[in-house]
């Protein structure tokens, strides 16, 4: 990737609250800077609203952490977003996604080792990313495993990580590692 179009912000550019959040996040994630956060935090109020929205799905959503990480990792694969992949490989390990499952995420729902529920979930992600819709067969498969609240969240979660992949690419946000 070429150099960042907007550099991560300084304390004066982010404001004290956002800057402290970004510094804390970088310590927790053990990276020099969480470039996504310190770039988006330049838009101060929108950044805080986005954080609140995001946290309602990850880590605080109705989908299990395992399912949430499968979704995010599949979106990162389909959108070729290495930044998302870097972070969510680590988070996914804590949620039960080992190296074997991570390799299967790349294969997608066609991998025969997925359970019926996992296959439905990954198929749903694929349809949402590729077609921006869910056909009736995919919807029915998902509805056998997920509540209406979880289905709404699934659509929002895929959209959120697609939006992030677009933003990361357009702003040329550099990887943290």
């Amino acid at each position: 990737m070429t150099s960042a179009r907007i550099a991560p912000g300084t304390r004066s550019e982010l404001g004290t609250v956002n800057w402290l959040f970004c510094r804390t996040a970088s310590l927790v994630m053990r990276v020099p800077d969480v470039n996504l956060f310190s770039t988006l935090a330049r838009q101060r109020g929108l950044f805080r609203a986005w954080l609140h929205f995001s946290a309602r799905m990850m880590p605080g959503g109705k989908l299990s952490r395992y399912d949430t990480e499968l979704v995010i990792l599949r979106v990162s694969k389909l959108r070729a977003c290495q930044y998302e992949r870097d972070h969510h490989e680590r988070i996914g390990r804590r949620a039960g996604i080992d190296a074997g499952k991570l390799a299967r995420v790349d294969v997608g729902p066609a991998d025969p080792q997925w359970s019926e529920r996992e296959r439905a979930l990954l198929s749903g992600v694929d349809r949402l990313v590729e077609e921006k819709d869910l056909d009736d067969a995919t919807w029915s498969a998902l509805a056998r495993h997920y509540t209406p609240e979880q289905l709404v969240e699934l659509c929002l979660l895929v959209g959120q990580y697609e939006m992030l992949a677009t933003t990361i690419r357009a702003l040329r946000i550099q990887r943290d590692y």
Side-chain angles (χ1 to χ4, degrees), residues 50 53-76 79 84 88 121-122 124-125 128-129 146 149-165:
W50 169 76
F53 170 73
S54 297
R56 296 293 299 201
M57 292 183 285
M58 201 294 289
K62 300 285 185 190
L63 293 170
S64 71
R65 287 302 304 272
Y66 175 83
D67 285 354
T68 297
E69 292 306 321
L70 278 182
V71 167
I72 295 167
L73 288 164
R74 185 64 181 160
V75 171
S76 75
R79 290 297 313 275
E84 286 177 349
H88 289 278
L121 182 65
L122 293 170
V125 173
L128 287 167
V129 170
Y146 296 98
E149 294 82 5
Q150 289 172 316
L151 292 169
V152 169
E153 185 173 310
L154 171 62
C155 293
L156 290 170
L157 183 65
V158 170
Q160 152 76 352
Y161 279 88
E162 269 226 276
M163 176 196 71
L164 280 178

Side-chain angles (χ1 to χ4, degrees), residues 66 70 101 104-105 108 111-116 118-119 122:
Y66 175 83
L70 278 182
K101 287 181 183 175
R104 290 177 21 227
V105 166
D111 189 294
Q113 294 182 55
W114 292 121
S115 69
E116 182 183 322
E118 291 165 326
R119 187 172 295 105
L122 293 170

